[in-house]
Amino acid sequence: MKNQPLLKTLGILLLVILWILPGKLTAQQKFTLKGRVTDKKGQGLPFATVYVKGTSNGTTTNDNGDYFLPLKAGNHDIAFQFIGYKASTKKVTINQSQTLNVSLEPEVLTLNEVTITSNGEDPAYPIMRKAIRNRKKHLKEIEKFTCDTYVKGLQRLGKAPKRVLGMKVDVDTGVVYFSESVSELSYKNGEYKEKMISSKVSGNSRGFSFNQASEMETELYNNIINNTGFSERGMVSPVAFNAMLYYRYRYEGSFQENGLTVNKIRLMPRRKLAPAFSGFIYIIDDSWRIHSVELSLGKGTVDFIDSVTIKQVYAPVGNGKVWRPLSVKYNFEFAAFGFKGQGYFLCMYSNYNITPTFQRRFFNNEIMTVTSDANKKDSTYWNKIRPIPLTTTEVKDYREKDSLQVIKDSKPYKDSVDAKRNKLGVTDILYGGYTYRNSYRRERFSFQPLISTFQYNTVEGLVTDLSLNYQKRYENRTYFTIDPSFRYGFSNKRFQAKLRTSYRFAPKSFGTVWAEGGRYVEQLSRMQSISPFLNSYYTLVVEENFMKIYEKAYAKVGYRQELINGVYFKGSLEFAERNAMQNTTDYSWRNVENREFTPNAPINNELINTDFAYHQALTFNASLRLRIKQRYMTYPHRKFIMGSDYPTLLLGYRKGLAIGDSDVDYDLLHASISDNINMGVIGASKYRVSAGIFLNTNKMYFMDFRHFSGNQTGLLKGSSNAFQLLDYYRYSTQDRYLEGHYEHHFNGFVMNGFPLINKLKSQLVISANYLWTPTSLNYLELGVGLEHIFKIMRFDFIVGLQEGNQVSSGFRFGFGF
């Protein structure tokens, strides 16, 4: 036949393929190496590192010391590491799944013949100086990489109070959070981008994990470590340029591993409450890079945490000249407000690629995204991809909570839980507040406690001010609210009511529309100059009526939304009939000598009489806020703002429209810049600078002025744009103004250095507030205070200066964490 040579060739080729293919398939097939890593007594070593030498393919053991590692068929060198134990390497030939148990021996340290030099210096110091000198080199030795990450977090609550600050606590003890996530992590020149491709949350199949792999690494080659999340100040790295000021070092010895000499150095903070770790750091000879660390933070060093332990293991990746973390684990115990518990977060890094190619503009302000199907992976997927075996406790938690979820999502179960939570108690009525829930319908109705319902002022006398709230949430995280309020003054015998309704239509961009209207009381300052509760106290006990109010019958609509990342628009239009109100009572609980109540029309330096006649006002208000290079994380149906390294800018415009029956005609243009600045171990600063000018003042009333957040009480005003000694209305302006506020929190930098004072856990804070208007001229407040006294209290002493001359001074007391 004419085609016999061709058929013969094809037949031979087929035989060759059939002979080669099984070998190829076997080589590509993956098998599982599993086993247990123990000490010499047979006790499991939890979270020991297991990896294939020469690669970043690895895993860690679970709480019991169990591991499993997917491997391709062939020969492999498997390394087993556990901090404080001698590393072990086992050669494995694998062509089927098999078990390999490994017992590690405690590390055997070799001490130098002379442990103390002739000048009395411990040998650890020259080693650490070399590590410090090489810090920048190791920090910059890798410009970019990609890797796969696996993060697991588990928290147990051992004890929970029934109430906190009078509020009911409905939390079960035991495992309260258990989650796993798998992400693709990319890095280039200090920028991270993370894509979470799978997420599992125990007991919530619709939930997404809040694990973040990019925040797990403790980057010790940075001078200050801010990503631990346990301290306001950040922690000084043991290899920071100024580490010698914060650490003492002690040489423990060295050991050999894979031909390298590894030095073990004990870390000891120079002061008890210094922002420094205790524990151990392992430094490799010659390269002076970090091999691994075991770091501890004790009670007092961190906030609301009893203890934290961080273990981080490095290994060579790529060409072997670059070392990166293979695993990071945080263990912590916490105790605060009657809650006690413990937990951990673990991150594994694998499949490093140190020469990736990124598309143009791959790195942007979106630092993390969660795919829409991340929480839809089944158990088969997780059993295949999970690098760490689940413990018996974790398997039980998944099984019980996942099986209960079907029940918990049912109407009968939710109704039974709601029936228990919806019981109304005396404390709820008096000071706790009350919320009625219908979880199945995603509805809730709430009202405030009785203690906040009653007020007192000299205009209305005893006041009942009741606010209600109804909220309806939908599956896509949109929601609808209705907020009616009712007010009655027993002295002026005036009943008032208003209604506000809002709809969040775009959760990712915070898009909201709202409308409100009615007849109600409002403070003259267009803001809450003083809280009604605090004003009630000063009126009844101190005989000072600081709050100045008027009556407004109005209708208002508004809209706000993030237009593009970091650019927020807010606008509203209001038509109002505004009526002045007068004092109707002079009752107080005590009569203070030479003091009497002031009229409801405050004193102002620009306006002879702040009282006004009935009038109508149509007012338009708009503002544009810009947060430059705002970082964010995108979840399905949600967006989380993660801050920015740049200041926030705001541009605003308010217009009194002389249209129809409206009696106002003015234009106010204003702008501000603000920022929070982290200064590492010396604390953090925040500032806000505002300026504005009335372009037109043809017709306006006192409530249309630009008012400033003053304070005439002894309570510290916590707002970022507040003055502490300024009269509420004296310098309100219809002209130009310049306003500035600055506050620096030392976060323990100063006070922790004093042996006895530092036991109070107090922190120094300084502040400055500045105002210029045509009548205030140069007004300046300078303050110094202590915060976090017994964790919650703060005291400040402030001096007020006008044109350089002291005009006021006083103490201010406040609460805050």
Side-chain angles (χ1 to χ4, degrees):
M1 291 178 59
K2 192 160 125 179
N3 292 326
Q4 273 187 346
L6 177 60
L7 292 173
K8 185 177 180 180
T9 302
L10 290 174
I12 294 171
L13 183 59
L14 180 60
L15 288 173
V16 171
I17 291 173
L18 291 174
W19 178 69
I20 293 176
L21 188 59
K24 290 289 185 182
L25 290 174
T26 302
Q28 291 177 0
Q29 186 175 354
K30 282 194 174 183
F31 301 99
T32 299
L33 179 69
K34 64 179 181 178
R36 193 162 184 247
V37 181
T38 62
D39 60 14
K40 283 300 181 182
K41 296 180 180 179
Q43 297 294 319
L45 296 177
F47 304 103
T49 302
V50 183
Y51 69 99
V52 181
K53 289 188 66 173
T55 75
S56 55
N57 176 28
T59 183
T60 68
T61 60
N62 63 15
D63 274 333
N64 301 323
D66 300 319
Y67 76 94
F68 60 73
L69 181 63
L71 294 172
K72 292 181 180 179
N75 300 320
H76 303 279
D77 291 330
I78 311 299
F80 298 84
Q81 281 183 250
F82 189 76
I83 295 177
Y85 285 74
K86 186 178 179 181
S88 176
T89 301
K90 302 292 183 182
K91 289 186 178 295
V92 174
T93 299
I94 190 164
N95 50 27
Q96 62 181 359
S97 295
Q98 57 184 273
T99 299
L100 176 62
N101 296 322
V102 176
S103 178
L104 298 183
E105 298 179 356
E107 61 188 6
V108 178
L109 300 176
T110 302
L111 289 172
N112 293 339
E113 291 183 5
V114 181
T115 57
I116 303 296
T117 61
S118 58
N119 62 2
E121 185 179 67
D122 190 284
Y125 285 88
I127 294 173
M128 293 307 299
R129 287 193 188 97
K130 292 172 183 175
I132 291 169
R133 282 198 297 268
N134 283 272
R135 178 189 66 84
K136 284 187 178 180
K137 182 181 78 172
H138 296 317
L139 180 64
K140 297 178 180 179
E141 68 184 356
I142 184 167
E143 294 183 355
K144 57 184 179 178
F145 68 79
T146 62
C147 68
D148 298 328
T149 65
Y150 166 81
V151 181
K152 180 164 70 170
L154 186 145
Q155 285 82 54
R156 293 183 178 91
L157 189 62
K159 181 181 178 183
K162 293 182 179 180
R163 288 183 176 271
V164 174
L165 301 177
M167 304 294 291
K168 284 182 180 178
V169 175
D170 187 17
V171 178
D172 294 329
T173 55
V175 177
V176 293
Y177 176 80
F178 177 36
S179 173
E180 300 174 277
S181 62
V182 175
S183 296
E184 297 169 352
L185 186 63
S186 303
Y187 169 88
K188 184 178 180 181
N189 296 328
E191 291 187 86
Y192 284 96
K193 192 175 184 69
E194 183 174 350
K195 181 181 179 181
M196 185 183 291
I197 59 176
S198 51
S199 165
K200 185 172 177 62
V201 181
S202 180
N204 186 1
S205 63
R206 292 187 296 272
F208 292 92
S209 172
F210 287 96
N211 301 336
Q212 191 177 352
S214 57
E215 289 293 309
M216 286 294 296
E217 180 188 352
T218 304
E219 182 50 271
L220 295 168
Y221 292 122
N222 283 330
N223 289 315
I224 301 296
I225 302 162
N226 289 313
N227 68 326
T228 58
F230 299 115
S231 174
E232 290 179 318
R233 299 175 66 184
M235 307 303 296
V236 177
S237 169
V239 295
F241 79 97
N242 59 344
M244 297 286 180
L245 299 175
Y246 293 89
Y247 289 94
R248 290 188 177 91
Y249 305 102
R250 189 170 73 199
Y251 183 71
E252 297 287 322
S254 64
F255 60 88
Q256 297 294 314
E257 183 178 292
N258 301 322
L260 300 174
T261 300
V262 183
N263 301 288
K264 182 179 182 180
I265 310 294
R266 181 181 290 274
L267 304 173
M268 298 169 288
R270 288 188 175 271
R271 298 185 307 278
K272 184 178 179 181
L273 297 179
F277 299 102
S278 58
F280 299 95
I281 186 169
Y282 295 78
I283 303 294
I284 301 173
D285 250 9
D286 297 329
S287 65
W288 313 112
R289 67 170 71 251
I290 300 171
H291 170 276
S292 55
V293 292
E294 184 174 5
L295 309 174
S296 298
L297 296 171
K299 190 173 183 179
T301 309
V302 288
D303 305 317
F304 301 109
I305 302 289
D306 281 351
S307 65
V308 180
T309 302
I310 305 169
K311 291 184 178 181
Q312 188 159 290
V313 177
Y314 297 77
V317 298
N319 56 15
K321 296 180 180 180
V322 175
W323 287 54
R324 288 288 303 160
L326 286 186
S327 65
V328 182
K329 182 165 185 273
Y330 290 79
N331 278 87
F332 55 88
E333 296 182 356
F334 59 89
F337 303 108
F339 293 94
K340 286 187 178 182
Q342 64 280 326
Y344 70 82
F345 279 96
L346 167 72
C347 182
M348 285 187 52
Y349 305 85
S350 61
N351 300 323
Y352 276 100
N353 176 9
I354 63 172
T355 58
T357 300
F358 298 113
Q359 293 180 351
R360 188 169 176 262
R361 296 183 179 175
F362 175 80
F363 291 93
N364 51 29
N365 298 316
E366 185 183 46
I367 61 175
M368 182 174 175
T369 181
V370 180
T371 60
S372 58
D373 64 342
N375 62 353
K376 294 179 173 60
K377 306 296 195 298
D378 60 17
S379 58
T380 302
Y381 167 88
W382 281 103
N383 291 335
K384 181 179 178 181
I385 201 170
R386 180 185 291 121
I388 305 173
L390 296 177
T391 64
T392 303
T393 300
E394 293 165 349
V395 171
K396 181 181 178 182
D397 190 70
Y398 269 147
R399 185 176 61 247
E400 290 182 352
K401 289 183 178 176
D402 289 351
S403 61
L404 280 174
Q405 184 182 348
V406 178
I407 299 173
K408 287 183 176 180
D409 287 343
S410 67
K411 188 176 185 300
Y413 179 86
K414 289 188 174 183
D415 288 346
S416 66
V417 173
D418 287 341
K420 181 179 178 181
R421 292 191 300 182
N422 291 340
K423 290 181 179 178
L424 183 63
V426 176
T427 56
D428 300 321
I429 298 174
L430 293 177
Y431 60 84
Y434 176 73
T435 299
Y436 176 87
R437 298 176 178 86
N438 188 322
S439 301
Y440 188 78
R441 294 173 56 87
R442 296 190 184 92
E443 295 176 334
R444 70 180 187 187
F445 171 79
S446 60
F447 62 81
Q448 69 218 46
L450 199 61
I451 192 172
S452 63
T453 301
F454 289 103
Q455 306 171 16
Y456 182 81
N457 62 68
T458 55
V459 175
E460 302 168 286
L462 178 64
V463 177
T464 58
D465 191 341
L466 176 64
S467 295
L468 308 176
N469 171 263
Y470 167 80
Q471 184 181 88
K472 168 71 175 179
R473 290 188 172 271
Y474 301 95
E475 184 74 25
N476 60 358
R477 293 191 178 273
T478 61
Y479 61 84
F480 173 75
T481 65
I482 300 176
D483 300 278
S485 298
F486 308 94
R487 186 181 183 98
Y488 182 75
F490 284 87
S491 180
N492 68 342
K493 297 180 173 54
R494 190 78 167 161
F495 175 79
Q496 297 164 322
K498 65 178 179 178
L499 177 70
R500 177 185 173 94
T501 181
S502 66
Y503 176 58
R504 171 63 61 88
F505 62 88
K508 273 192 176 181
S509 60
F510 315 104
T512 307
V513 292
W514 74 91
E516 61 178 289
R519 185 180 67 192
Y520 227 68
V521 161
E522 188 166 304
Q523 295 192 36
L524 286 170
S525 61
R526 303 181 67 88
M527 63 180 77
Q528 189 163 280
S529 291
I530 183 172
S531 73
F533 178 81
L534 191 59
N535 180 75
S536 299
Y537 168 80
Y538 271 85
T539 304
L540 290 169
V541 178
V542 189
E543 203 177 1
E544 289 187 304
N545 56 330
F546 293 126
M547 189 168 73
K548 308 302 178 185
I549 56 178
Y550 70 100
E551 185 181 77
K552 181 173 74 171
Y554 70 102
K556 184 177 183 179
V557 293
Y559 157 78
R560 65 172 176 266
Q561 190 168 12
E562 183 182 35
L563 305 180
I564 58 175
N565 181 54
V567 179
Y568 300 83
F569 174 80
K570 182 178 181 180
S572 64
L573 183 67
E574 177 188 84
F575 180 78
E577 296 178 345
R578 306 192 293 204
N579 276 297
M581 303 179 77
Q582 309 299 327
N583 289 341
T584 61
T585 178
D586 59 359
Y587 174 79
S588 67
W589 288 345
R590 59 189 288 254
N591 183 27
V592 181
E593 189 175 353
N594 298 323
R595 183 177 295 169
E596 59 183 22
F597 290 126
T598 59
N600 192 45
I603 296 174
N604 177 258
N605 284 7
E606 292 186 20
L607 203 60
I608 296 175
N609 182 11
T610 59
D611 205 357
F612 60 92
Y614 163 85
H615 64 274
Q616 297 176 333
L618 180 63
T619 308
F620 171 72
N621 212 328
S623 65
L624 203 63
R625 181 161 58 93
L626 171 62
R627 186 179 285 127
I628 303 171
K629 290 190 175 182
Q630 172 185 269
R631 296 185 297 272
Y632 64 96
M633 299 191 301
T634 304
Y635 280 62
H637 308 304
R638 301 182 74 179
K639 179 178 180 179
F640 294 91
I641 307 303
M642 305 305 292
S644 169
D645 295 329
Y646 296 87
T648 297
L649 308 175
L650 185 141
L651 182 64
Y653 175 65
R654 175 155 50 95
K655 169 67 176 174
L657 296 162
I659 299 175
D661 294 330
S662 177
D663 298 314
V664 294
D665 182 12
Y666 67 89
D667 296 87
L668 169 63
L669 184 65
H670 60 93
S672 70
I673 181 171
S674 60
D675 198 10
N676 295 331
I677 305 171
N678 190 329
M679 298 185 178
V681 296
I682 65 174
S685 291
K686 60 181 179 181
Y687 71 85
R688 181 184 179 90
V689 178
S690 305
I693 183 171
F694 281 87
L695 306 174
N696 158 39
T697 58
N698 288 340
K699 193 167 186 181
M700 55 189 302
Y701 298 84
F702 188 60
M703 65 280 291
D704 300 316
F705 278 41
R706 173 60 168 92
H707 302 279
F708 305 100
S709 184
N711 185 18
Q712 294 175 256
T713 74
L715 199 64
L716 189 73
K717 207 161 190 179
S719 173
S720 61
N721 62 341
F723 295 88
Q724 301 301 336
L725 301 174
L726 190 70
D727 186 286
Y728 291 118
Y729 295 102
R730 183 173 295 276
Y731 297 124
S732 299
T733 185
Q734 58 180 337
D735 205 320
R736 298 157 294 158
Y737 69 88
L738 176 64
E739 178 183 6
H741 303 272
Y742 175 79
E743 195 169 73
H744 181 78
H745 301 258
F746 285 93
N747 296 340
F749 176 69
V750 176
M751 304 306 295
N752 285 353
F754 296 94
L756 294 178
I757 297 177
N758 60 22
K759 292 186 181 297
L760 294 174
K761 307 291 178 63
S762 60
Q763 299 177 2
L764 186 68
V765 57
I766 58 174
S767 61
N769 302 302
Y770 174 80
L771 176 66
W772 183 91
T773 71
T775 58
S776 72
L777 301 178
N778 292 294
Y779 174 80
L780 176 66
E781 292 179 356
L782 298 174
V784 60
L786 290 177
E787 61 181 347
H788 294 190
I789 301 173
F790 305 116
K791 292 187 178 181
I792 62 171
M793 291 188 294
R794 173 174 168 177
F795 287 96
D796 283 45
F797 177 73
I798 300 111
V799 174
L801 306 169
Q802 197 161 29
E803 292 297 297
N805 300 314
Q806 182 176 333
V807 293
S808 59
S809 65
F811 287 95
R812 294 293 183 264
F813 165 78
F815 294 94
F817 302 106

